[in-house]
Amino acid sequence: MTYRTAGQRQRPNSRHFWVNAPLALGVVGLVLHAGAARAQTPPPPPVNGSQLTAVIVKGKTPAQAARAKLSKIPGGFSVVDSAEVAKGRVRSNADLLKLQPGVIAAATGAGGFDSIKVSIRGSGVNNGVGYFRNGIKYEFDDLPVTTPSGTPYELFDPQGLDYTEILRGDNAFTTGDLALGGTIDYHTNTGRTAPYSEIRTEFGSFGYIKGSAATGGVVGPWDYYINVIGESQNGWQQHSNASAQHVIANLGYQINDNAETRVYFRYGKELFYGPGALTRGQIESSTPDQAQLAYLETNYKRNQPGSELIGDVTKLRFADNQSVELGLAYQNFPIVIGPSSTSAPILAKWDYGNIAAQVKYENTSRLFGHGNDFTAAAYWSDDIYGDAKEEAIAADGANPYGTSYSYLGATYKIAPTSYYNIPGVTAGERLYWNKFNGSTDQTALLSDDFELIHNLWLTLGGAVVNTPRNFNTIGNTYVTGTTIPVVQTPSFRSSETNLIPRIGLLWDVSQDLQLFTSYGGNIEPREDWAGGYGPYSGTTASTYPNYGILNLKNQEADTVEVGFRGRYGIFQGSTDYYYAQVSDELLTIYDASIDANTTINAPHATHQGVESELDTVLWQDGGSFWGDTTGVNRVHLVQTFTWSDLTFNSNGGALSNKTEPGLPPEYYQGELAFDAANGIYANFDATAASGTYVDYLNTWKAAPYVVYGLTVGWQQQRADKKGWQVSLSVDNLTDTKYAVAIAPTYNANHADYANEYPGAGLGVYSAVDYKF
């Protein structure tokens, strides 16, 4: 089956993939209109000139209000209601982001609970799991978690949330995020949205257990919410045991009818052991749950001993049409990587601190008698301190697993991973110390939505982005007569300024249909540590001259998007097509032979894709299809489909016309859901992905796959949302062996390469929840 779009090159035939996937739910004819119940497409706003009135409607949940407000965006977005997610297991963001168009969220046992691989529109293609996330801006309650160093993930427990906004690509313009993937904004429960106490426990296969206790309430002008979470697992894959603790809290104060302030706090602590990536042959063998030998020998683990975020958001309203939002946040995230045993002689210690501030002004006053929504905003994020140190934890010769390794003309005694046992060092000796303080992201923007004629809205905007980066080498240890294999760079400072345009059209054709198109720019600065590591001379550099050099440029892109969203009869959904020209794309090359990564600026590339969703009511015994379905019996089919074509342009040297690896070109998710009036529910789901290249030279692929899941449960039906809820979930019903994520390498040389992360096998999980 192939598809063509005007101006779009034909995509490869994918018959093998599609023979399997649609048969799972019998939905071949609906795939291009895929949809998600957890992110039901919002209906167009009322046709009344000012779109803000759609937000202020009595009886709407916060998630519904968010959909109504975001419906003025001329592009793709979705909103996830956490009440729907809580019907099953809520282990990681892969559970939360399931069934979202344009979003690929892959969870493995290779990096703890939430070090998953997340990608939107080709973002994050370069990473496997267990790395700082990039290409997407992450926020909690409008406060940024993403910093100039990237996005740490230990704070991302999906419990305790009310709803989540996903703004794809440059549709996240007014959030101050201009990255290729857009913004994911998690909104926490408050004492006003969750005025009750809650106890929840989850348990199941592979030693998984998770428990949480939460309470919230309102006391006069004050409200409060706190959730304490603990979890542990033995893990499906060998050497993937993990434990974590989280605290989520906020305190709000309603100053008066037009002013409120809220303090937020998040704490996360996690320790996990890493099994590493495998080859396709290992995954398809009789022991797909094995760990990479090097990770076992070095007892590899990552300790995130305690990260916290504390911030405040203050909202002020003036009359009925103007508002100001002020935000301030501080976060700290220390990390220790490496085993405690002498089998791996180097311990990496990272410690970051960041302060972020922002101000946003909105005015919805009519202009020249027409509807008009104006936004002005400024965002600032500064790494006030950032340390990276490596220390020898074993003296020369103390490593029983050391081997001889030649690199750039020198021979080193090393462990089987990147932890080098360098000749002549002593235990406790510091090998290097780098600082990144002073790296900053600064954005100022203006945006205006103007109603040209009745129901036709024009969006115009522009942003200035400045991204200073600072890298200071405090000290390195070089052993006499040799050099450290991973060459450390000298101190340097760089700064780039980019101008970003935004233009769009949104036509409210009717109450049930919106058409939109837009053009916008994207930029993504490198993380402040990127380019400071890795070889910048030798064979690799001569083959690929940008490999690991200092002067990495900001990634830039220009994106055009066109699409629709709406509903008709039993159908509700959306489809959008985007086309982006990307220059200086920031990608990571992974070398499994030394277990190391290096960031590069890649040649120009074209990113294009289709993001589609469809929710179809197959049977319902009363009520409105798309209104309140409480008290009715209902069967509906939820589908999402993401097609991605990420290709280097013809002038890319060795990479010319190659497909970017790491992400499946076709990705489908579907769920057949039954909801009974008495609270019983059952969902049968399928996820299918096409074969995926594992290397930039396109010499080897991970296999396509289809996996199935089942959830059954019961929720007590009460108007106050209190009471019992129980569920039983079965993952990977057919115990399929497959690679769920990939850490791309440059050249697999047509050989089976150890950079594929296996998906978990058949597992059974239960959840019990009581609200009172």
Side-chain angles (χ1 to χ4, degrees):
M1 180 182 294
T2 59
Y3 300 93
R4 261 183 208 281
T5 302
Q8 169 187 335
R9 72 178 180 87
Q10 185 172 345
R11 71 175 190 177
N13 187 280
S14 51
R15 180 176 301 170
H16 177 75
F17 166 66
W18 286 114
V19 163
N20 292 299
L23 290 179
L25 298 176
V27 293
V28 177
L30 300 176
V31 162
L32 284 180
H33 303 286
R38 292 177 185 166
Q40 292 182 6
T41 304
V47 191
N48 61 3
S50 177
Q51 297 175 339
L52 185 64
T53 58
V55 181
I56 308 170
V57 178
K58 283 187 177 181
K60 281 197 173 184
T61 67
Q64 292 169 334
R67 292 188 187 108
K69 184 175 182 179
L70 295 178
S71 66
K72 66 183 179 181
I73 293 176
F77 74 90
S78 53
V79 177
V80 184
D81 191 334
S82 292
E84 291 295 316
V85 181
K87 287 184 174 181
R89 183 193 62 183
V90 190
R91 175 184 179 273
S92 75
N93 270 263
D95 299 313
L96 179 73
L97 300 175
K98 186 178 179 181
L99 290 165
Q100 303 310 309
V103 180
I104 297 175
T108 78
F113 293 100
D114 210 55
S115 57
I116 66 175
K117 180 169 183 173
V118 184
S119 178
I120 301 175
R121 297 189 175 180
S123 68
V125 63
N126 52 328
N127 283 346
V129 298
Y131 303 98
F132 277 13
R133 297 174 187 166
N134 58 12
I136 301 171
K137 182 182 182 181
Y138 292 86
E139 297 180 336
F140 286 120
D141 304 290
D142 300 333
L143 295 172
V145 188
T146 299
T147 74
S149 59
T151 305
Y153 51 81
E154 57 270 22
L155 297 176
F156 282 86
D157 191 276
Q159 289 192 8
L161 298 175
D162 187 2
Y163 65 96
T164 301
E165 299 173 341
I166 304 169
L167 307 174
R168 302 193 294 273
D170 57 316
N171 299 303
F173 183 82
T174 57
T175 70
D177 169 52
L178 304 171
L180 192 64
T183 292
I184 299 178
D185 191 0
Y186 303 86
H187 290 266
T188 312
N189 284 326
T190 69
R192 299 186 185 277
T193 63
Y196 46 73
S197 296
E198 179 180 10
I199 297 174
R200 182 182 178 92
T201 183
E202 301 179 357
F203 51 91
S205 299
F206 320 120
Y208 172 70
I209 185 168
K210 183 175 186 177
S212 64
T215 188
V218 180
V219 181
W222 298 89
D223 72 273
Y224 62 91
Y225 178 82
I226 183 169
N227 194 333
V228 179
I229 304 166
E231 57 189 327
S232 65
Q233 67 174 25
N234 296 330
W236 170 78
Q237 196 173 356
Q238 187 181 14
H239 200 64
S240 62
N241 48 307
S243 62
Q245 298 84 42
H246 300 272
V247 178
I248 301 167
N250 60 77
L251 178 66
Y253 179 65
Q254 189 78 35
I255 301 170
N256 55 45
D257 290 343
N258 294 310
E260 61 181 275
T261 189
R262 185 172 301 276
V263 176
Y264 296 92
F265 175 75
R266 281 183 174 264
Y267 173 83
K269 177 181 180 180
E270 184 172 15
L271 171 65
F272 66 82
Y273 292 78
L278 303 177
T279 66
R280 176 171 171 174
Q282 289 173 313
I283 292 173
E284 294 175 350
S285 73
S286 60
T287 55
D289 57 347
Q290 64 185 284
Q292 188 181 127
L293 180 60
Y295 280 67
L296 286 175
E297 291 176 334
T298 58
N299 194 33
Y300 176 85
K301 64 183 176 183
R302 182 178 178 122
N303 181 21
Q304 294 155 161
S307 301
E308 64 268 345
L309 181 150
I310 184 167
D312 178 85
V313 175
T314 298
K315 299 179 180 180
L316 308 173
R317 289 174 290 274
F318 306 97
D320 294 326
N321 51 23
Q322 297 181 64
S323 65
V324 172
E325 181 177 295
L326 306 171
L328 181 66
Y330 165 79
Q331 64 175 315
N332 165 249
F333 39 100
I335 306 168
V336 180
I337 305 174
S340 57
S341 70
T342 59
S343 60
I346 291 182
L347 194 67
K349 299 179 179 180
W350 295 66
D351 192 13
Y352 274 96
N354 176 270
I355 289 181
Q358 58 197 46
V359 57
K360 178 188 285 188
Y361 168 76
E362 295 181 320
N363 189 329
T364 59
S365 301
R366 296 179 67 84
L367 183 64
F368 307 122
H370 294 253
N372 193 72
D373 295 341
F374 173 76
T375 300
Y379 301 88
W380 174 79
S381 177
D382 180 49
D383 282 344
I384 55 175
Y385 62 88
D387 284 350
K389 305 172 185 177
E390 281 195 357
E391 297 176 357
I393 58 173
D396 177 25
N399 176 18
Y401 301 100
T403 59
S404 179
Y405 180 75
S406 296
Y407 187 86
L408 297 181
T411 300
Y412 302 90
K413 187 178 181 182
I414 65 171
T417 70
S418 59
Y419 301 107
Y420 297 91
N421 191 2
I422 302 170
V425 302
T426 59
E429 182 173 352
R430 179 176 296 158
L431 302 181
Y432 75 78
W433 182 14
N434 297 320
K435 283 183 171 291
F436 313 111
N437 52 296
S439 296
T440 309
D441 290 340
Q442 306 162 357
T443 302
L445 64 87
L446 299 174
S447 179
D448 191 77
D449 299 327
F450 180 72
E451 190 179 29
L452 292 172
I453 58 176
H454 189 55
N455 293 335
L456 180 64
W457 293 79
L458 170 67
T459 296
L460 292 174
V464 180
V465 183
N466 187 40
T467 54
R469 290 293 182 266
N470 196 40
F471 186 106
N472 292 317
T473 299
I474 305 302
N476 292 326
T477 297
Y478 291 90
V479 181
T480 303
T482 67
T483 57
I484 296 176
V486 178
V487 180
Q488 297 304 305
T489 62
S491 301
F492 70 95
R493 183 171 178 82
S494 65
S495 182
E496 285 192 51
T497 300
N498 299 85
L499 302 177
I500 307 299
R502 168 76 167 164
I503 184 171
L505 281 173
L506 175 69
W507 181 22
D508 296 325
V509 179
S510 70
Q511 290 280 351
D512 296 318
L513 178 63
Q514 286 183 318
L515 306 178
F516 54 80
T517 185
S518 65
Y519 161 78
N522 306 99
I523 72 104
E524 181 181 341
R526 70 161 186 265
E527 289 96 339
D528 52 18
W529 48 266
Y533 302 92
Y536 52 95
S537 61
T539 304
T540 304
S542 62
T543 304
Y544 206 86
N546 283 338
Y547 188 86
I549 62 175
L550 301 181
N551 59 335
L552 289 172
K553 301 177 182 177
N554 285 355
Q555 172 183 304
E556 299 183 35
D558 294 293
T559 303
V560 176
E561 182 176 356
V562 61
F564 74 90
R565 52 180 168 257
R567 62 192 180 197
Y568 180 78
I570 63 172
F571 302 104
Q572 177 172 266
S574 71
T575 295
D576 61 77
Y577 165 76
Y578 70 90
Y579 178 91
Q581 283 293 322
V582 185
S583 60
D584 296 317
E585 186 172 6
L586 291 165
L587 298 177
T588 295
I589 301 295
Y590 171 68
D591 187 344
S593 65
I594 60 171
D595 190 29
N597 298 287
T598 299
T599 303
I600 65 169
N601 280 130
H604 287 209
T606 297
H607 288 200
Q608 60 179 335
V610 172
E611 303 160 331
S612 201
E613 56 181 346
L614 182 67
D615 192 353
T616 306
V617 179
L618 301 178
W619 173 76
Q620 187 169 307
D621 65 358
S624 168
F625 289 145
W626 307 115
D628 185 3
T629 57
T630 303
V632 301
N633 299 297
R634 189 170 190 252
V635 177
H636 63 119
L637 178 61
V638 179
Q639 300 173 91
T640 64
F641 173 67
T642 300
W643 169 64
S644 304
D645 179 11
L646 316 175
T647 306
F648 293 111
N649 295 351
S650 58
N651 60 350
L655 298 179
S656 294
N657 300 316
K658 302 295 186 183
T659 297
E660 294 187 20
L663 296 174
E666 291 102 1
Y667 188 73
Y668 169 86
Q669 291 185 307
E671 181 179 87
L672 184 63
F674 167 70
D675 295 290
N678 62 5
I680 294 174
Y681 57 88
N683 305 323
F684 175 73
D685 64 80
T687 298
S690 58
T692 306
Y693 284 115
V694 305
D695 63 334
Y696 287 93
L697 293 186
N698 295 174
T699 70
W700 191 264
K701 272 189 174 183
Y705 65 85
V706 183
V707 293
Y708 306 98
L710 176 68
T711 296
V712 295
W714 172 76
Q715 183 174 13
Q716 191 171 353
Q717 300 296 288
R718 291 177 48 166
D720 60 6
K721 305 300 182 183
K722 297 180 181 180
W724 290 94
Q725 180 174 330
V726 295
S727 67
L728 181 71
S729 300
V730 184
D731 287 354
N732 197 354
L733 279 166
T734 56
D735 202 23
T736 299
K737 301 173 183 178
Y738 67 106
V740 71
I742 294 166
T745 189
Y746 182 70
N747 183 10
N749 200 24
H750 304 280
D752 199 356
Y753 207 75
N755 64 339
E756 301 181 25
Y757 294 93
L762 173 68
V764 181
Y765 305 90
S766 182
V768 180
D769 191 302
Y770 180 60
K771 299 183 180 73
F772 58 97

